[in-house]
Amino acid sequence: MIADVMLAAMWVGLTCYALFGGADFGAGFWDLLAGRSRRGASRRKLIEHSLGPVWEANHVWLIFVLVMLWTCFPPVFAAVLSTLYIPLTLTALGIIARGAAFAFRKASTELWQQRLFGGCFALSSVITPLFLGAVAGGIASGRVPPGIAAGDTVTSWVNPTSALGGVIAVLTCAHLAAVYLCADAVREGDAVRAAEFRRRALGSGLACGVVALAGIAVLDQDAPVLFHGLTHRALALVVIGAVAGLADLALLLRHRYVLARGAAAIAVAAILWAWGVAQYPHMLVPSTTVAGTASHNSVLVASLISVGVGLVILTPSLWLLYAMFQRHPEGTRPAEGGGGTGPGRAA
């Protein structure tokens, strides 16, 4: 019972990372496609304003998930990290390179330096979710057996389900970022940028739908256990995700950007939880269960208490951080009756 609670807590952390960290990665995707220096300057400025205050904080969720997996389900942690060490190492390098490049670009004064660091930031923002999606695909398709390095270190993440997971991860991150940036642009009074990111949000959302539909055949052939779970036990969540995705697109068409954010978040969260429900009670398909890999009850209880204490500290802090930068800084609010706004920031 406690093991299930800790698994659910870990999945909540994974969901938060997908919604917040995923949007950050997606912003880097649009930075890559923003255009050349002069033409893309205003787009990149909006992206920097949106990422600036929170991009480091979002990785707290990834650290939380890894620590929870290591502490509460050590055999699964060992199997995943030893079999999938190649894409996980590349993911770590991508996160490091992305963060360093983002910081150095803001501090650079020479154009060639800004281009160099900007390219590194943008490419790392695409590569990182691609590898994370490949890792998820390897786990979901049953290519990570229990034991230290018991699985194939190449085919465990180079396979049809991993390719599907990587593409969907990149497109989902891009879509979340575009939806979030629509509202950011409106708050800054930039109708042109809002219209641009609205078109990109609609395009990336449609692309997510097309890939997801094509992925049905891939999962049926390459990950039958996951496919069966998604079409039976987790079907309700899949339907919720599909309906929320359609609502997201409809709200974008109606320029209801704040509501579209909520619908997009629900769609992503529903699909992520559908994967968890479809695979439950297995941590590693086909036979490694939650109960069979959980730590001793004393460890689980201590972890549960730690999570509770951490939430009391972390939740208000993150809420304050996000809320603070959703508002216009003091002295930059638009004058009454005026048309300009100061630089708003978003989570």
Side-chain angles (χ1 to χ4, degrees), residues 12 36 94 97 126 169 207 209 221 267 287 317-318:
V12 169
R36 297 183 67 83
V126 175
Q221 295 297 317
S287 59
S317 303
L318 289 177

Side-chain angles (χ1 to χ4, degrees), residues 59-344:
H59 290 299
V60 167
W61 299 112
L62 179 60
I63 296 169
F64 171 77
V65 171
L66 290 175
V67 171
M68 289 289 289
L69 185 62
W70 179 26
T71 305
C72 301
F73 307 98
V76 178
F77 180 88
V80 170
L81 267 74
S82 60
T83 294
L84 294 169
Y85 73 89
I86 295 176
L88 287 171
T89 300
L90 293 173
T91 296
L93 291 174
I95 291 173
I96 294 168
R98 179 179 180 274
F102 183 71
F104 288 146
R105 183 174 70 173
K106 294 182 70 173
S108 299
T109 56
E110 298 292 333
L111 180 60
W112 71 268
Q113 293 175 332
Q114 294 174 351
R115 286 177 171 173
L116 174 64
F117 293 129
C120 182
F121 163 70
L123 287 174
S124 298
S125 297
V126 175
I127 290 172
T128 303
L130 182 69
F131 285 127
L132 284 172
V135 168
I139 297 170
S141 60
R143 289 182 166 89
V144 181
I148 304 296
D152 191 289
T153 57
V154 176
T155 60
S156 59
W157 61 281
V158 180
N159 58 75
T161 303
S162 289
L164 175 66
V167 172
I168 286 182
V170 172
L171 290 175
T172 300
C173 291
H175 178 66
L176 284 173
V179 174
Y180 293 176
L181 287 166
C182 287
D184 293 349
V186 169
R187 189 170 53 255
E188 292 193 14
D190 193 340
V192 174
R193 297 287 87 79
E196 286 181 353
F197 281 111
R198 173 175 170 268
R199 290 192 295 270
R200 296 180 181 203
L202 288 168
S204 58
L206 290 172
C208 285
V210 170
V211 172
L213 288 174
I216 294 174
V218 174
L219 295 181
D220 186 26
Q221 295 297 317
D222 193 60
V225 174
L226 176 63
F227 178 79
H228 183 270
L230 290 173
T231 53
H232 289 78
R233 185 188 301 119
L235 182 59
L237 285 168
V238 173
V239 171
I240 290 171
V243 171
L246 291 174
D248 169 31
L249 297 180
L251 289 166
L252 286 169
L253 288 172
R254 294 174 60 85
H255 303 272
R256 305 294 295 274
Y257 299 133
V258 175
L259 291 176
R261 281 184 170 190
I266 291 172
V268 173
I271 296 303
L272 192 60
W273 280 80
W275 168 30
V277 171
Q279 189 169 312
Y280 184 84
H282 298 109
M283 293 289 285
L284 298 174
V285 177
S287 59
T288 305
T289 63
V290 175
T293 57
S295 297
H296 191 273
N297 268 357
S298 60
V299 176
L300 296 177
V301 170
S303 299
L304 182 59
I305 294 171
S306 299
V307 169
V309 173
L311 282 176
V312 172
I313 299 171
L314 182 63
T315 303
S317 303
L318 289 177
W319 181 270
L320 178 62
L321 175 66
Y322 294 145
M324 182 186 304
F325 289 102
Q326 286 287 321
R327 303 187 183 101
H328 293 283
E330 192 66 31
T332 64
R333 296 181 185 277
E336 215 170 303
T341 63

